[in-house]
Amino acid sequence: MEYLKKYPKLFQWLFLLAVFFGLCFAIDVPETYKFIRGQAEFVKDPNQSVYFFLGKEVRYYAFDVFWRLPPLLGWLPIWINDSLFFLMNEWMPMEFWNEDTQEFKTRPLLLQISRNLTSFMTFLIELIREILLGGLETIVAFTSWDFIDAYPWLELPGLPWTIVAAGATILSFKLSGKGLALFAGLTMIYISVFGQWKPSMQTLSFILVAAPLSFIFGLGLGIAAYKSKRVEKALYPILLVMQTMPQYAVLVPALVLFGVGDHAAVIITMVVAVPPMILLTILGLRAIPPEVIEAGRMSGCTNWQLMVKVLIPTARRDILIGVNQVIMVCFSMAVISAFIGAKGLGFNLLLALNQLNIGLALEAGLCISLIAILLDKMSLAWANKQTDYFGNLTFFQRNKNIIFFAASVVIGIILAYVGTFIFKGSFNYLFEVPHNKGISTADFWNKGVDWIFDTFFVYIKAFNTWLIVDVLQPMRALYLRMPAVATLVLVVGAGYIIGGIRSALVVCGLTLFIALSPWWDRALVTFYMATFGVVVSCLIGFTVGTLCFQNKKSAAFMLGVCDIFQTFPSFVYLIPVMMLFGITDTSVLIAVIVYATIPATRYTIEGLRSVPIGLHEAATMSGVNKFQRLTKIEFPLAFPHMMLGLNQTIVFALFMVIIGAFIGTEDLGQYILKALSDKNGAGIGLTLGICVAFIGLIFDNLIRTWVGQRKKQLGID
Amino acid sequence: MSETVIKCESVFKIFGENAKKMLEEANGKVDAKTFQEKGCIVGVNNASFEVAKGEMLVVMGLSGSGKSTLLRCISRLTDATGGKIFIEGQDLLELNNKELIDLRRNKMGMVFQSFALLPHKTVVENIAFPLQVKGTSTEDSISRAMEMVKLVGLDGRENYFPRELSGGQQQRVGIARSLAVEPDIWFLDEPFSALDPLIRKEMQDEFLRLQEKLQKTIMFITHDFDEALKLADRIAIMKDGIIEQLDTPANIVLNPATEYVRKFTEEVPREKVLVIEDVMDAPSKDNLGDLKVSKDEIIENVAEKILTQEKNVEVIDSNNNVVGSIKPSKIIDTVFGGRKNGS
Ligand SMILES: Nc1ncnc2c1ncn2[C@@H]1O[C@H](COP(=O)(O)OP(=O)(O)OP(=O)(O)O)[C@@H](O)[C@H]1O
Ligand SMILES: [Mg+2]
C-alpha cells in the first residue's frame, strides 16, 4: 500500500502491461489468419467480405473484431483518388486564353492553375540550367522557334566548368575564407573530373530553384503565423502531419496534379521543405525576448523595419537551422523525385542502385553529398557575415572579388576556346567533361565490393542469417501476434497515464485511423522495423553522445560529424549497406540505425550541454564525483532535451524504413512504392503516408506531453 | 511653473482576457485582490500626475509594483486599459501609427531594465540603430554612434557583440543607444542597477551634468533611495500599481502620505534628504556662534561644521537675511534619533 502511494505511476504502468499481455494471451490467432503477401491483396476471393460506402466497394478478409478491426476506412483511398480526379478534370470549367492556338479554350480551373504553375517552374529551372549548361529554351520562351532559327547564335552557350568552379571558390572565399574556398574548389574539380558535371548541374539548377522558393514561402508563412493566431491554428495540424509524413508519400498525389518532370519535383520539394521552415521560423520569432522588440519599437521602427531589422535577425539562429533543413530536404528530394522524372544525380543514383552498380552509385552519392555540404556551409557563412565599417579600403580591395571573377570568366573562356584546338574532333575537356568520359573509380569500388563479398561472405552471411532468423523474424512474429484490441489498449492506456484524458483521446484517434485502414498488418511491420532501429540507435547514440560529452573537443567534433552526416540525402545511406549486405532486411535496418543514430547522438550532447555550468560547479563543490554528477545531475536535467532527440530518432527511423522499400520490405513503404506506378495510386499513397505520419505522431504526442510535464517539474522553461 | 510635457489622467493597465470590460464595470475603483481572483493582474492602478519640462521624476517601489508597466504605458509600448495620456498636449492614445513612430524617432528615448540589445549587431551598430531606422546615412550614424561610445566609455569595444560584454557594459550600450537621437523625453528603467558602485557613481554624475546641459524631461526608475535622492526633483512611490505619494524628496520623508510610504522611507538617512530650513527654529540670539549656514544646504553637508561649533548657528537665506537658528543637538536628533518625525 505504501509503495502504491509512493509510485502511483509505476503501478499504473504495471497494471496496463498486465492487461495488455492478458489480452494478447486471451485472444487466439484465428485459424484463417495469415500475413498477406504483396500481390495477393488485390485478388478477388469468395471468402472476402464486402461492403459499400459512398458507392465504393471495399473487400476484405473478416476476422474477429478483437483480433483485427474491419477496414472501415477502406473506401478512403478510392474516394480521395476519385475526388482528385474530379477536381482536376471536371471541377469549375472556365474559359482560358491559349497563347499557342490564339483562342479561348475551356478548361477546369485546377488543371489550368496546375499548368501555369508547371510552366512557371519549368521556366525557372530551364533558365538556371541553361546558364550552367547551355541551351535555347529560355530564349525561345521569350521569342519563338522561328526567331531562334533565324538567329542561332542566340543559343546560350553554357558556362565552362572552369568558370563555375572559380566562381564557387571566389564566392566561398568572400563568404567565409580559405577553408571553404578550398573545399568549394576541390568539390567542383572532383565533379568535373569524374564526369558528373552535367547531372550535377542539373541537380544544382533544381536545388537553386527549390531551396530559395521553399525558404521564402516558409519564412513568409512562418511570419504570418507568428502575427496571426488564426493562421497558426489553421497551419498547425498540417505542419504536424507533414513533419512526420514520409517524403515518398507526397510523390504520388503530386504526380496526379503536376505530371512528371523537374517542375513536379520542385513543387513536391517545396511541399516537404516548407513545413520545417515554417515551424522553425515561428519557434525563433517566439523566443525573442519582448524587451528586444520593445527596444526596436522605441527606436522608431516601422512594422516592416521591425520585422526585417529586428525580428528576423534576432531569430536568426532558428531560421538558419530552418535553412539547413530546407537544403537537406531539397537534396533528399533531389534523389527521391527521380522516381517522378527529375533529371540529374538522383536519377543516376537510383539507376545505379537498381543495377546494383555500387561503384557508380557511390560516385553519384558522393557528388550529391559534397554539393549539399557546400551549399549548407555557404548559406551558413552568408548569414553570419559581418560588415566592417571602419576598414579604409581602396577601390581594388573593395571590388577584388568581382575583379577576380571577371578575370576568371575571361580566362575560362580563353581556355575553353583553346580547348577547341587541343581536343580537335573529340570532347573539349576544358569546356565540359562529358558524362561517363571522366575518370571513374566505379570499377574499383565494384571490385572492392566483390572482394569483400568473396572474402567475408561466410561471416556476413552467418551474421545476416542469425539476425534474420533469431532476432528479426521472431520479433516480427511477436508484433503481428498482437491483437488489435490489445495494441489499442496499450497505446491509449499509455496516453492516459502520461497525459490524461486529452492525450488518450488524441492517441486513440490516431491509432484507430491506422487500425481501420486496410493496412494494419503492414503498419505493424513498419512499426517493428522502426522499433528495432530506434532501440539500437538510441543505445548507440546515447552512449556515444555521453562519452563524447566528457571532453569539449570531442563533443564539438561529434556535433560536426552529425552535421555533415545529416546533410547526406537519405538515399545515400542505402549505398554502403547494400554493398555489404545486399538486398535484405538487414540492409534496411542498418541504414535505419545509421541514419537514426544522428539525432540520438546530437540531442544527447546538446542536452548535456544545456545543463547550466553553474550547476556543474555547484555539484563539484559539494564533492560529487564525475559519475555521480552524470547520473544525479546531468542526466535528469538533460532528459527532456534527450527525449526530444528520441522523438527525432523515431521520425528519422520511420523515414528510412519507408525508403527501405526500395531495397524491398513488406511494410507500408512497399505499398507506397507500388502506388507510384499505379495510375489510381494517389489516394493509396496519400493514405499510406498519413498512416506512417500517424505512427510518428502517436509517439510525438506522448513524448512531448511527458517532456512538458517533466520540464515543469524541473522548473526549466 | 514651466510647461507640462507628460500628463497622465487616471491611467489603468490591467492584464488579462477581458480587462477592459472588468475595468468599466469596476467604475474606476479597482481592487487588485478581486481582480486577481477573476484572473486579471493589475499593473497600473489609477495613476494621475504631470511631469514638467526639464523635470526629473523618479519612480520607486517594490518589485512588481508596476513601475515598468507605467513607463510602458507612457511610451505606448502597451496600450493603457483606461485613462488618458498626453505628451506635450497631444493625446498619446489618439496618435496613429505614423505619428507614434515619428514621436519615438524624434522625441523619446528609453533604456530598458534588461538592456534589450540586438544580439546580432555590434556595439556601434546597436547604438546607430535608431539613427539608421530614421534614415540617417550609414556614415553619419556610425560617426554619431562613435561619439556615444566614447561618452559611455566603451571605446575600444565598439566592434564587440553584446554577448561579449559584461552586464554593466551592455547597460551602457543601452544608455548610449537611447541618447543617440537626442530625445527630449527620456525613460530610464533601472539604468544603473547593473553597474558596479564606482561606475555607477561616475554615471550618475555624468548623468547630472548632462541633465544640467540638456534639460531633458526624464522618468527614472530605481530601487536605490540614495540614487533617487541624488537625482530626483520629485519622487513617486508605487505599491501594487497605485501611486501612493508623489512629492519632493523632503516632503516624502517628512510627511509620508500613507503608512506604506512611512515604512518605505523609514530607513532613509534624513540628513541626505532634509535641508536646514526643514529643521531650523525661529531666529534667536541665544548662545550664538559666528558660523552662518544657508537655509538650502542639505544637512549632511554642513552637519560636521555645525557639530564642531558647539554653539547655536544662524541660518540665512540667499540675500544674507537671518531667517532662523539651529542648535547642534537638533542636528544630532535628525541624524541619529530623528526617526519619530523630523519637524
Ligand atoms: N505582459 C504581462 N502580462 C501579465 N502581467 C504582467 C505583464 N507585465 C507585467 N505584468 C505584471 O504587472 C505587475 C507589474 O510589473 P512591472 O514589470 O511593472 O513591475 P516592476 O515594478 O517594474 O518590477 P521590477 O522592479 O521587478 O522591475 C507584475 O505583477 C507583473 O506580474
Ligand atoms: Mg521593472
Side-chain angles (χ1 to χ4, degrees):
Chain A
M1 231 31 227
E2 210 176 287
Y3 283 108
L4 199 65
K5 280 225 178 72
K6 216 166 161 193
Y7 304 105
K9 286 259 150 119
L10 183 70
F11 278 85
Q12 285 173 356
W13 281 113
L14 285 178
F15 178 70
L16 180 64
L17 282 181
V19 173
F20 171 70
F21 282 113
L23 281 170
C24 283
F25 287 116
I27 300 168
D28 280 330
V29 186
E31 272 170 29
T32 51
Y33 174 78
K34 66 178 195 294
F35 184 74
I36 303 162
R37 300 263 170 241
Q39 300 304 326
E41 216 150 75
F42 296 98
V43 177
K44 286 200 178 175
D45 175 348
N47 290 333
Q48 284 171 327
S49 315
V50 180
Y51 74 91
F52 287 88
F53 186 81
L54 287 174
K56 315 276 182 286
E57 183 194 30
V58 180
R59 312 181 131 261
Y60 65 102
Y61 290 96
F63 294 110
D64 185 359
V65 281
F66 291 113
W67 173 249
R68 293 289 189 260
L69 300 182
L72 292 180
L73 287 174
W75 51 273
L76 186 66
I78 316 175
W79 182 79
I80 292 180
N81 221 18
D82 290 357
S83 309
L84 259 181
F85 208 77
F86 169 74
L87 283 177
M88 273 304 277
N89 296 318
E90 276 151 62
W91 186 62
M92 295 257 289
M94 279 187 199
E95 297 267 303
F96 291 100
W97 177 251
N98 189 325
E99 270 292 327
D100 293 335
T101 52
Q102 294 287 317
E103 60 188 16
F104 283 99
K105 213 175 166 187
T106 315
R107 252 194 195 161
L109 178 66
L110 211 62
L111 187 65
Q112 179 67 21
I113 294 177
S114 141
R115 284 291 145 84
N116 286 346
L117 205 61
T118 302
S119 53
F120 175 65
M121 292 295 170
T122 313
F123 171 75
L124 282 183
I125 300 172
E126 282 301 328
L127 177 67
I128 297 182
R129 197 163 281 178
E130 291 181 355
I131 290 175
L132 293 170
L133 286 170
L136 38 76
E137 307 234 330
T138 316
I139 309 286
V140 172
F142 283 114
T143 56
S144 67
W145 284 105
D146 298 337
F147 185 82
I148 215 71
D149 283 340
Y151 307 97
W153 49 268
L154 264 179
E155 179 184 332
L156 289 175
L159 290 171
W161 69 267
T162 42
I163 296 181
V164 179
T169 312
I170 292 171
L171 189 61
S172 304
F173 182 76
K174 186 179 157 65
L175 289 174
S176 149
K178 273 186 214 142
L180 192 59
L182 191 69
F183 180 67
L186 288 181
T187 302
M188 288 300 176
I189 291 172
Y190 167 84
I191 292 171
S192 184
V193 169
F194 279 71
Q196 304 277 6
W197 191 254
K198 191 164 178 201
S200 293
M201 291 303 121
Q202 280 171 337
T203 300
L204 192 63
S205 58
F206 162 85
I207 304 270
L208 286 182
V209 173
L213 280 180
S214 307
F215 171 72
I216 293 168
F217 271 89
L219 192 68
L221 285 172
I223 290 171
Y226 168 73
K227 291 212 150 171
S228 145
K229 266 258 156 339
R230 224 182 286 158
V231 175
E232 190 191 359
K233 273 209 183 114
L235 279 178
Y236 197 66
I238 306 177
L239 293 183
L240 262 189
V241 174
M242 284 310 299
Q243 280 279 290
T244 35
M245 179 99 121
Q247 299 152 348
Y248 253 178
V250 208
L251 290 182
V252 208
L255 210 60
V256 176
L257 288 174
F258 303 104
V260 178
D262 286 301
H263 54 272
V266 166
I267 294 168
I268 302 171
T269 305
M270 284 174 62
V271 170
V272 181
V274 165
M277 187 69 219
I278 297 180
L279 278 178
L280 281 157
T281 307
I282 300 179
L283 192 75
L285 290 175
R286 284 274 145 76
I288 300 174
E291 283 211 331
V292 169
I293 302 174
E294 291 180 341
R297 283 243 153 80
M298 280 313 283
S299 301
C301 287
T302 58
N303 282 340
W304 172 252
Q305 284 173 324
L306 193 70
M307 189 45 79
V308 176
K309 297 194 168 175
V310 178
L311 294 179
I312 293 176
T314 308
R316 198 178 56 186
R317 221 184 90 86
D318 287 307
I319 292 179
L320 273 182
I321 299 177
V323 171
N324 175 289
Q325 294 253 325
V326 164
I327 291 179
M328 224 175 82
V329 173
C330 281
F331 277 95
S332 216
M333 289 306 285
V335 183
I336 292 176
S337 49
F339 279 110
I340 57 165
K343 293 184 208 118
L345 288 169
F347 183 76
N348 294 0
L349 175 62
L350 282 191
L351 205 66
L353 277 182
N354 240 338
Q355 298 165 344
L356 277 180
N357 188 337
I358 303 294
L360 270 186
L362 204 65
E363 279 179 358
L366 191 59
C367 268
I368 299 188
S369 305
L370 283 176
I371 302 178
I373 296 171
L374 181 63
L375 277 193
D376 186 41
K377 297 265 180 260
M378 274 165 88
S379 65
L380 206 75
W382 177 60
N384 283 324
K385 189 129 189 70
Q386 280 299 308
T387 4
D388 181 9
Y389 293 102
F390 304 102
N392 233 339
L393 301 177
T394 60
F395 175 81
F396 174 72
Q397 279 169 321
R398 234 175 303 141
N399 295 305
K400 67 173 180 219
N401 292 313
I402 296 172
I403 295 171
F404 275 133
F405 183 63
S408 66
V409 169
V410 174
I411 295 174
I413 291 174
I414 293 174
L415 275 179
Y417 188 67
V418 170
T420 54
F421 296 107
I422 303 177
F423 303 106
K424 250 195 194 119
S426 74
F427 298 105
N428 181 355
Y429 287 98
L430 289 175
F431 179 66
E432 179 193 321
V433 183
H435 191 41
N436 298 339
K437 287 285 180 293
I439 306 172
S440 177
T441 48
D443 277 344
F444 168 77
W445 292 111
N446 286 339
K447 288 217 181 80
V449 172
D450 288 346
W451 179 80
I452 291 177
F453 237 83
D454 290 343
T455 320
F456 298 108
F457 181 73
V458 199
Y459 310 107
I460 292 178
K461 175 115 199 264
F463 173 71
N464 217 345
T465 320
W466 169 78
L467 195 70
I468 290 176
V469 174
D470 289 336
V471 182
L472 297 181
Q473 276 178 356
M475 193 167 160
R476 179 172 132 151
L478 274 183
Y479 271 69
L480 285 172
R481 171 68 182 78
M482 277 194 295
V485 172
T487 320
L488 260 173
V489 166
L490 182 67
V491 177
V492 174
Y496 181 74
I497 298 176
I498 290 175
I501 211 76
R502 217 184 112 89
S503 247
L505 281 178
V506 172
V507 168
C508 178
L510 296 175
T511 320
L512 267 182
F513 182 90
I514 308 172
L516 292 176
S517 79
W519 301 295
W520 176 252
D521 285 8
R522 308 274 148 188
L524 285 178
V525 175
T526 300
F527 183 42
Y528 119 78
M529 297 221 272
T531 329
F532 185 83
V534 167
V535 169
V536 179
S537 297
C538 282
L539 284 180
I540 300 175
F542 287 165
T543 320
V544 171
T546 311
L547 288 178
C548 284
F549 173 70
Q550 300 311 315
N551 175 323
K552 259 213 173 89
K553 264 197 200 132
S554 61
F557 172 76
M558 206 60 214
L559 283 179
V561 171
C562 286
D563 264 347
I564 291 179
F565 267 80
Q566 212 170 20
T567 336
F568 293 167
S570 35
F571 247 91
V572 170
Y573 287 86
L574 293 184
I575 305 171
V577 292
M578 276 175 75
M579 223 156 113
L580 289 176
F581 295 99
I583 305 181
T584 53
D585 269 11
T586 319
S587 284
V588 180
L589 281 173
I590 290 183
V592 170
I593 291 167
V594 174
Y595 192 52
T597 303
I598 305 168
T601 314
R602 143 176 259 137
Y603 278 81
T604 308
I605 298 180
E606 281 179 352
L608 288 172
R609 265 191 174 182
S610 71
V611 177
I613 307 244
L615 269 177
H616 282 202
E617 286 162 1
T620 316
M621 280 313 286
S622 51
V624 177
N625 70 26
K626 215 167 182 179
F627 183 72
Q628 283 172 322
R629 196 177 79 191
L630 200 62
T631 50
K632 294 258 156 68
I633 294 171
E634 283 164 351
F635 272 142
L637 280 174
F639 222 65
H641 209 96
M642 282 155 77
M643 287 311 278
L644 291 181
L646 174 64
N647 209 345
Q648 283 291 304
T649 311
I650 293 173
V651 173
F652 272 52
L654 274 173
F655 275 20
M656 200 42 121
V657 168
I658 299 301
I659 287 178
F662 184 78
I663 297 186
T665 48
E666 287 188 315
D667 67 335
L668 294 170
Q670 180 197 18
Y671 276 54
I672 297 180
L673 197 64
K674 227 190 300 173
L676 264 173
S677 48
D678 180 351
K679 74 175 189 313
N680 288 326
I684 301 177
L686 202 62
T687 319
L688 283 163
I690 293 176
C691 283
V692 182
F694 280 5
I695 298 182
L697 281 182
I698 292 170
F699 287 96
D700 181 82
N701 185 287
L702 294 180
I703 292 174
R704 268 179 210 280
T705 317
W706 189 76
V707 165
Q709 289 168 354
R710 189 75 201 148
K711 272 191 172 165
K712 244 187 225 150
Q713 278 172 13
L714 290 172
I716 353 180
D717 197 49
Chain B
M1 195 68 197
S2 56
E3 61 182 297
T4 310
V5 176
I6 302 171
K7 183 173 173 194
C8 294
E9 284 176 5
S10 15
V11 171
F12 288 91
K13 177 69 201 183
I14 295 161
F15 297 103
E17 288 268 303
N18 35 17
K20 206 136 205 165
K21 211 166 123 222
M22 283 180 62
L23 180 63
E24 267 162 33
E25 282 164 10
N27 248 333
K29 287 221 165 15
V30 173
D31 180 46
K33 270 232 178 77
T34 47
F35 268 65
Q36 188 146 30
E37 276 159 20
K38 290 177 192 163
C40 282
I41 297 172
V42 180
V44 175
N45 192 347
N46 202 355
S48 303
F49 62 91
E50 293 178 6
V51 187
K53 189 171 169 63
E55 185 182 357
M56 185 170 343
L57 176 68
V58 172
V59 184
M60 301 194 67
L62 298 181
S63 216
S65 57
K67 307 180 294 293
S68 302
T69 309
L70 178 64
L71 226 57
R72 283 198 169 84
C73 286
I74 299 175
S75 53
R76 215 178 134 187
L77 284 172
T78 55
D79 285 336
T81 318
K84 281 194 179 308
I85 300 166
F86 297 92
I87 303 287
E88 298 185 333
Q90 269 181 316
D91 189 337
L92 187 73
L93 301 173
E94 297 280 288
L95 295 184
N96 66 27
N97 211 8
K98 192 172 165 305
E99 291 165 326
L100 187 65
I101 286 172
D102 270 350
L103 184 72
R104 286 177 180 155
R105 283 187 179 175
N106 302 312
K107 289 244 164 82
M108 288 182 173
M110 182 151 175
V111 179
F112 289 86
Q113 188 169 2
S114 59
F115 323 140
L117 302 180
L118 302 177
H120 61 285
K121 290 188 181 286
T122 59
V123 169
V124 253
E125 286 173 325
N126 258 295
I127 298 174
F129 184 68
L131 294 166
Q132 288 176 346
V133 163
K134 247 166 86 168
T136 318
S137 74
T138 312
E139 208 167 297
D140 289 351
S141 58
I142 294 288
S143 75
R144 166 88 184 138
M146 280 310 290
E147 280 172 36
M148 291 294 119
V149 169
K150 292 215 178 72
L151 182 75
V152 293
L154 281 175
D155 18 357
R157 289 183 205 272
E158 59 269 9
N159 281 332
Y160 283 38
F161 283 97
R163 58 171 182 276
E164 298 164 331
L165 298 177
S166 74
Q169 289 166 337
Q170 291 186 32
Q171 189 60 290
R172 282 187 270 162
V173 178
I175 294 171
R177 174 175 66 185
S178 72
L179 275 179
V181 287
E182 303 182 328
D184 298 331
I185 307 170
W186 202 11
F187 301 112
L188 299 111
D189 196 344
E190 301 186 28
F192 302 147
S193 56
L195 308 180
D196 63 81
L198 262 178
I199 303 230
R200 180 193 306 217
K201 183 164 179 314
E202 222 169 81
M203 292 292 288
Q204 285 167 355
D205 292 340
E206 179 65 30
F207 186 72
L208 280 175
R209 203 180 55 75
L210 265 174
Q211 175 60 359
E212 197 120 298
K213 205 168 69 186
L214 303 174
Q215 287 296 308
K216 294 183 191 307
T217 308
I218 295 173
M219 285 187 72
F220 189 110
I221 295 179
T222 179
H223 280 287
D224 178 354
F225 228 112
D226 279 346
E227 188 169 270
L229 297 176
K230 190 165 172 184
L231 305 175
D233 292 318
R234 288 190 299 161
I235 295 179
I237 294 191
M238 290 186 76
K239 183 197 171 210
D240 298 339
I242 301 172
I243 299 184
E244 296 270 314
Q245 188 173 8
L246 193 159
D247 217 328
T248 57
N251 266 342
I252 283 201
V253 175
L254 292 177
N255 311 310
T258 62
E259 183 60 21
Y260 178 78
V261 178
R262 197 186 67 70
K263 277 234 171 90
F264 198 83
T265 54
E266 206 168 51
E267 298 299 320
V268 177
R270 261 119 239 287
E271 66 276 15
K272 286 188 176 172
V273 191
L274 304 182
V275 293
I276 296 294
E277 191 183 14
D278 295 326
V279 293
M280 69 187 183
D281 300 317
S284 86
K285 295 282 174 195
D286 288 359
N287 191 17
L288 214 53
D290 356 311
L291 185 70
K292 289 190 169 82
V293 296
S294 158
K295 75 179 168 72
D296 295 326
E297 282 285 358
I298 288 179
I299 295 176
E300 188 184 32
N301 298 345
V302 287
E304 200 181 338
K305 268 196 277 179
I306 298 177
L307 287 178
T308 46
Q309 187 74 34
E310 293 187 357
K311 286 190 177 169
N312 290 357
V313 174
E314 252 182 338
V315 181
I316 53 173
D317 67 7
S318 50
N319 300 328
N320 269 340
N321 298 324
V322 176
V323 289
S325 72
I326 195 161
K327 294 188 197 114
S329 59
K330 190 85 182 197
I331 301 287
I332 296 178
D333 260 6
T334 320
V335 177
F336 297 105
R339 296 288 183 263
K340 291 154 262 166
N341 206 333
S343 45

